[in-house]
């Protein structure tokens, strides 16, 4: 987790914590866009769980399981699940997420 993320400003001065929504927008969604650029916009979020707080400098593993327009994710720190959920995306015109590499 980059220490200079703007999301840490004021959240909280004595113990910076990455807000849950920032976990999605700063970590999870950019990686999904890299590995599945043919997916459209985020349509639905389900089974979203934030189990542990994330702090500047945390080293995370991100696991993605893609099935068509659905992506299950899990963020893990030192073998312990910190966040997980299921994201559903819209199809983009002319894309084929099923056959994408």
């Amino acid at each position: 987790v980059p220490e200079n993320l703007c999301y840490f400003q004021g959240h909280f001065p004595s113990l910076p914590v990455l807000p849950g929504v920032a976990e999605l927008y700063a970590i999870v969604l950019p990686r999904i866009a890299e590995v599945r650029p043919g997916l459209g916009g985020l349509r639905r979020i389900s089974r979203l769980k934030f189990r542990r707080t994330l702090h500047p400098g945390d080293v995370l593993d991100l696991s993605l399981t893609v099935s068509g327009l659905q992506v299950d994710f899990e963020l893990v720190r030192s073998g312990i699940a910190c966040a997980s959920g299921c994201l559903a995306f819209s199809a983009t015109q002319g894309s084929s997420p099923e056959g994408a590499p």
Side-chain angles (χ1 to χ4, degrees):
V1 178
E3 295 181 16
N4 62 349
L5 275 178
C6 66
Y7 299 105
F8 288 121
Q9 295 175 9
H11 201 264
F12 299 95
S14 61
L15 180 65
V17 174
L18 188 62
V21 70
E23 293 177 31
L24 291 178
Y25 284 96
I27 299 170
V28 177
L29 291 173
R31 184 65 182 133
I32 291 171
E34 285 179 26
V35 299
R36 288 290 194 243
L39 290 177
L42 182 61
R43 188 172 47 89
R44 183 180 62 235
I45 301 171
S46 59
R47 299 189 321 257
L48 187 59
K49 296 186 187 207
F50 298 106
R51 295 179 178 97
R52 304 277 187 275
T53 57
L54 300 182
H55 306 278
D58 280 351
V59 176
L60 304 171
D61 290 311
L62 173 60
S63 162
L64 301 175
T65 304
V66 181
S67 178
L69 297 173
Q70 180 175 301
V71 180
D72 293 318
F73 78 90
E74 184 175 52
L75 279 171
V76 176
R77 178 185 58 225
S78 300
I80 299 172
C82 295
S84 63
C86 178
L87 309 176
F89 293 84
S90 301
T92 58
Q93 201 169 34
S95 70
S96 176
E98 292 286 343

